[in-house]
């Protein structure tokens, strides 16, 4: 039975089915799992997300339909399917209908390159990481088309924000994913996981892992970066005109995208399916990957339920003035240190890549470099914070002056400008 | 000439039709957003053909750069000018002439590639050698001093200059202090 999980076609051939049919069946089952698993997971994800943020915010969450409200997502799905399907007047009909499909598609397509275990992966592309980014850009397109075709100014404003946000945050996202690729020397997802057999990249490259996770959250458009659907400013953003199952597809795409980036972070930085016993029983990889990605997923949910939303200008400055420069410095430092490690001969030998001890010198040097950058950034931010505090105090002092000497207004204002 | 119908031929036909139909859609539609969408279809077809040519890296870059960045920027630009999305009138009546010139040029090109009219061409003269270029080879070629490091660096400088120029133009004069 366990053998069947690892190699279905061999198992079927044993059972007396022709090799051609067995290969076809294996592909069919694999494709069905890769496409249907995410769609089924969404139903559970909605419940987990609502329940989790309810508990974080001291509420109960769904608790009426079924035990612990477990059937709530099913009830929601029925509601969505039976709702009237409204197409707004003046909408671009074809584009309006394509957008939600593209949105869900762009997330599900990513699942094709996720390695679930040493033997289970949709297709181990030699350019897996690049494929992930290429497919992700289709998601931005879907949101934009939805916003534009709705013929609604709030939807259009939401779409504008999407372009600004998603394209900007793609830069640190790609730059952060570049580090593991550089050290592993491969773009293939399985290759990245195998390269972490000795040491997770999250330990040798904590800064890259953090940058990747933060910019991925922004790519998904989750709080604190959920400006594309900021309810208080632009009602609901790009999907305001969508009703029924079309809205459901956007929602499903978003919920699923959060889980997908949690899985990808686990694969690229936390060793993916690696864990005790995987070599003997490959199917255990599913369990380890599930545990790792659940932890990261809950972290993302926690951020969503606790953090406030940033302003659009803060969002852009945070990316272009902080994340991008930091990613570039990170690349230069890590590339230099990695070359140094190679020149000093501290990289683990070819037959020792899975040995943790052999990986320690390299990990230690890279970690030190990362910590040095983090420390430098913290010191810089501290200086910046102090400067701003002093400026605020100065401004407060000037304000007091104005109150005491109302007729000196102009002089004081001029002095403030000079400051 | 004997064309064998294989899986590859069918796939090539699908992507070829996607590319050409998308291209025709771009120039015939009166709606600029639809034109941009047809452009995406066309570029997607090209990405598929790259995969058929065993160049997955180029295919991914094609999708990432052309669909993910350039097409989105085009749509963004068009979206900001809503009045332009539906153009009722034509600005000139030379469409027919342009079509004749383009089709003529394409036919000449096609004949030149398929038939050795102007001497033996590459496709007929030499059997294509199986070359296995990997992403690694491509990366090395871009930074190898005997290959393409100079054009690569020049392109980088050019792009940086273009970016600086764009920012300088877009910058608000009054905000300078």
């Amino acid at each position: 039975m366990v053998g069947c999980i690892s190699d279905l076609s061999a198992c079927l051939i044993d059972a007396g089915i022709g090799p051609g049919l067995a290969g076809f069946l294996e592909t069919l089952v694999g494709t069905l799992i890769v496409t249907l698993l995410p769609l089924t997971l969404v139903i559970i994800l909605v419940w987990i997300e609502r329940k989790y943020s309810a508990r974080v915010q001291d509420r109960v969450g769904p608790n009426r339909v079924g035990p612990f409200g477990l059937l709530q997502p099913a009830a929601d799905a029925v509601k969505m399917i039976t709702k009237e399907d409204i197409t707004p007047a003046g909408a671009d009909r074809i584009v309006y209908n394509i957008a939600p499909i593209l949105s869900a598609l762009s997330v599900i397509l990513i699942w094709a390159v996720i390695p679930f275990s040493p033997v289970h992966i949709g297709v181990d592309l030699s350019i897996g990481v690049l494929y992930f980014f290429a497919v992700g850009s289709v998601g931005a397109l879907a949101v934009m088309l939805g916003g534009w075709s709705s013929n609604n100014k709030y939807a259009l404003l939401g779409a504008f924000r999407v372009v600004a946000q998603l394209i900007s945050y793609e830069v640190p996202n790609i730059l952060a994913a570049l580090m593991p690729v550089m050290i592993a020397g491969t773009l293939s997802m399985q290759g990245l996981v195998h390269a972490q057999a000795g040491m997770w990249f999250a330990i040798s490259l904590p800064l890259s892992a953090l940058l990747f996770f933060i910019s991925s959250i922004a790519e998904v458009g989750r709080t604190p970066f959920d400006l594309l659907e900021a309810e208080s400013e632009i009602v609901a953003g790009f999907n305001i005109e969508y009703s029924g199952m079309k809205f459901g597809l956007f929602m499903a795409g978003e919920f699923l995208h959060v889980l997908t980036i949690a899985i990808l972070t686990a694969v690229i930085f936390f060793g993916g399916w690696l864990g005790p016993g995987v070599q003997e029983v490959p199917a255990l990889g599913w369990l380890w990957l599930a545990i790792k990605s659940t932890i990261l997923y809950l972290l993302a949910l926690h951020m969503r339920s606790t953090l406030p939303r940033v302003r659009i200008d803060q969002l852009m400055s945070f990316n272009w003035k902080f994340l991008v420069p930091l990613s570039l410095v990170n690349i230069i430092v890590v590339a230099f240190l990695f070359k140094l490690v190679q020149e000093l001969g501290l990289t683990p030998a070819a037959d020792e890549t899975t040995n943790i001890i052999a990986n320690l010198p390299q990990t230690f040097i890279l970690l030190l470099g990362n910590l040095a950058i983090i420390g430098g950034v913290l010191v810089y931010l501290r200086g910046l914070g102090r400067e701003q505090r002093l400026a605020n105090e100065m401004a407060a002092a000037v304000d007091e002056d104005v109150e005491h000497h109302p007729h000196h207004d102009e002089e004081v204002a001029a002095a403030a400008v000079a400051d | 000439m004997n064309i064998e119908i294989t899986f590859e031929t069918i796939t090539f036909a699908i992507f070829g039709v996607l590319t050409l139909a998308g291209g025709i859609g771009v120039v015939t539609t009166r709606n600029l957003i639809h034109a941009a969408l047809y452009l995406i279809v066309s570029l997607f077809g090209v990405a598929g053909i790259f995969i058929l040519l065993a160049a997955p890296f180029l295919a991914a870059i094609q999708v990432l750069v052309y669909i993910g960045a350039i097409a989105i920027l085009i749509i963004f630009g068009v979206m900001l000018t809503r009045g332009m999305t539906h153009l009722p009138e034509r600005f000139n009546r030379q469409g027919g002439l342009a079509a004749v010139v383009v089709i003529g040029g394409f036919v000449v090109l096609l004949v030149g590639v398929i038939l050795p009219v102007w001497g033996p061409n590459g496709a007929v003269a030499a059997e294509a050698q199986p070359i296995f270029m990997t992403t690694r080879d491509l990366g090395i070629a871009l930074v190898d001093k005997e290959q393409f490091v100079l054009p690569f660096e020049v392109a980088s400088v050019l792009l940086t200059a273009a970016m600086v120029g764009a920012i300088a133009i877009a910058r608000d004069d009054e905000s300078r202090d």
Side-chain angles (χ1 to χ4, degrees):
Chain A
M1 189 59 211
V2 172
C4 283
I5 296 175
S6 314
D7 193 347
L8 186 65
S9 71
C11 179
L12 287 174
I13 291 171
D14 280 349
I17 297 173
L21 185 63
F24 172 74
L25 281 178
E26 186 185 46
T27 313
L28 185 72
V29 169
T31 315
L32 281 179
I33 289 179
V34 165
T35 45
L36 292 184
L37 179 70
L39 287 174
T40 323
L41 273 177
V42 167
I43 299 176
I44 307 162
L45 290 182
V46 174
W47 181 82
I48 294 177
E49 176 140 10
R50 289 182 63 179
K51 207 73 180 169
Y52 190 84
S53 45
R55 298 317 283 182
V56 169
Q57 295 163 351
D58 202 12
R59 296 182 283 117
V60 180
N63 64 344
R64 296 283 150 169
V65 193
F68 308 107
L70 261 173
L71 293 177
Q72 185 67 45
D76 286 348
V78 170
K79 184 184 79 180
M80 273 183 179
I81 291 167
T82 51
K83 280 245 168 135
E84 185 186 354
D85 173 32
I86 301 166
T87 306
D92 195 308
R93 207 162 253 289
I94 302 169
V95 181
Y96 182 80
N97 288 331
I98 289 176
I101 301 173
L102 274 183
S103 174
L105 190 73
S106 73
V107 180
I108 295 171
L109 277 177
I110 298 176
W111 285 60
V113 293
I114 293 178
F116 298 103
S117 79
V119 290
H120 296 110
I121 179 168
V123 47
D124 189 17
L125 291 178
S126 61
I127 47 142
V129 179
L130 210 59
Y131 169 88
F132 154 59
F133 287 114
V135 167
S137 62
V138 177
L141 186 70
V143 173
M144 251 173 66
L145 292 180
W148 173 79
S149 64
S150 298
N151 194 25
N152 178 310
K153 65 181 166 192
Y154 295 113
L156 194 62
L157 279 174
F160 286 160
R161 289 184 170 188
V162 173
V163 185
Q165 178 175 339
L166 298 196
I167 291 187
S168 303
Y169 276 85
E170 219 162 71
V171 178
N173 203 3
I174 293 181
L175 291 181
L178 189 62
M179 299 292 93
V181 168
M182 191 168 75
I183 290 178
T186 175
L187 281 163
S188 125
M189 288 291 196
Q190 282 293 26
L192 280 175
V193 175
H194 283 297
Q196 296 177 77
M199 185 61 75
W200 293 356
F201 288 137
I203 297 170
S204 50
L205 305 165
L207 186 58
S208 304
L210 200 61
L211 285 171
F212 184 81
F213 192 64
I214 293 176
S215 49
S216 295
I217 294 275
E219 281 283 305
V220 177
R222 268 302 169 90
T223 324
F225 308 109
D226 61 340
L227 286 160
L228 38 154
E229 47 184 67
E231 297 92 341
S232 50
E233 300 160 25
I234 50 174
V235 197
F238 68 94
N239 60 18
I240 179 171
E241 293 286 0
Y242 283 90
S243 63
M245 208 50 216
K246 286 179 197 160
F247 171 74
L249 275 178
F250 275 124
M251 282 302 287
E254 191 200 315
F255 278 82
L256 199 55
H257 206 165
V258 181
L259 178 69
T260 311
I261 60 139
I263 295 178
L264 280 169
T265 314
V267 167
I268 299 179
F269 289 100
F270 290 86
W273 43 258
L274 287 169
V278 165
Q279 297 306 327
E280 293 78 37
V281 188
L284 261 183
W286 288 80
L287 179 69
W288 298 126
L289 183 63
I291 292 175
K292 290 169 188 172
S293 30
T294 308
I295 294 172
L296 289 165
Y297 178 65
L298 291 182
L299 184 65
L301 288 195
H302 208 93
M303 282 169 74
R304 189 198 186 201
S305 17
T306 47
L307 292 179
R309 178 183 301 140
V310 296
R311 266 194 340 251
I312 185 86
D313 61 317
Q314 293 170 333
L315 177 97
M316 298 310 275
S317 340
F318 178 62
N319 180 56
W320 290 109
K321 295 182 184 166
F322 186 75
L323 285 185
V324 172
L326 189 57
S327 314
L328 291 173
V329 170
N330 187 27
I331 286 188
I332 295 169
V333 170
V334 171
F336 174 75
L337 287 179
F338 187 55
K339 201 74 197 166
L340 194 72
V341 167
Q342 283 181 330
E343 292 296 320
L344 292 176
L346 292 175
T347 39
D351 55 338
E352 278 188 325
T353 45
T354 56
N355 187 339
I356 293 180
I357 308 288
N359 270 286
L360 277 181
Q362 178 185 338
T363 310
F364 184 68
I365 292 178
L366 290 177
L367 181 64
L368 218 58
N370 265 257
L371 290 181
I373 303 174
I374 295 175
V377 167
L378 287 180
V379 169
Y380 169 75
L381 285 181
R382 185 160 153 254
L384 205 68
R386 180 182 289 149
E387 226 168 71
Q388 275 176 356
R389 206 163 51 241
L390 286 178
N392 284 345
E393 278 168 17
M394 203 95 87
V398 170
D399 280 351
E400 265 176 35
D401 263 14
V402 175
E403 276 166 27
H404 290 151
H405 313 282
H407 51 281
H408 285 160
D409 262 8
E410 283 170 16
E411 273 180 46
V412 172
V417 169
D419 282 341
Chain B
M1 198 185 276
N2 192 7
I3 297 176
E4 200 182 335
I5 302 289
T6 60
F7 180 68
E8 215 174 310
T9 330
I10 299 169
T11 321
F12 176 79
I14 293 173
F15 284 122
V17 167
L18 270 185
T19 311
L20 291 179
I24 291 170
V26 172
V27 292
T28 51
T29 178
R30 308 296 306 150
N31 184 325
L32 278 183
I33 292 268
H34 288 176
L37 289 179
Y38 280 124
L39 185 64
I40 290 173
V41 173
S42 183
L43 293 171
F44 183 76
V46 175
I49 289 174
F50 274 137
I51 288 187
L52 276 182
L53 292 172
F57 180 79
L58 284 182
I61 290 294
Q62 170 89 8
V63 173
L64 192 63
V65 172
Y66 284 94
I67 297 180
I70 291 182
I72 285 193
L73 283 183
I74 290 176
I75 295 180
F76 190 47
V78 177
M79 267 178 13
L80 282 169
T81 54
R82 198 163 175 107
M84 274 179 67
T85 50
H86 285 282
L87 294 178
E89 57 173 321
R90 290 174 184 277
F91 291 114
N92 65 50
R93 301 267 164 206
Q94 289 144 18
L97 180 69
V100 170
V101 171
V102 167
I103 291 172
F106 187 67
V107 167
V108 170
L109 200 66
L110 211 57
V111 169
V113 169
I114 296 174
L115 303 173
V117 183
W118 300 285
N121 57 29
V124 179
E127 277 294 309
Q129 295 293 318
I131 309 168
F132 294 104
M133 288 288 281
T134 60
T135 313
R136 186 185 296 268
D137 296 331
L138 187 67
I140 290 171
L142 282 179
V143 291
D144 189 357
K145 62 177 184 289
E146 284 169 9
Q147 297 185 55
F148 302 104
V149 69
L150 191 64
F152 181 66
E153 293 297 331
V154 169
S156 310
V157 172
L158 188 70
L159 287 175
T160 312
M163 195 167 76
V164 171
I167 294 173
I169 291 171
R171 191 171 164 165
D172 193 359
D173 276 341
E174 289 170 17
S175 68
R176 214 173 286 163
D177 49 30

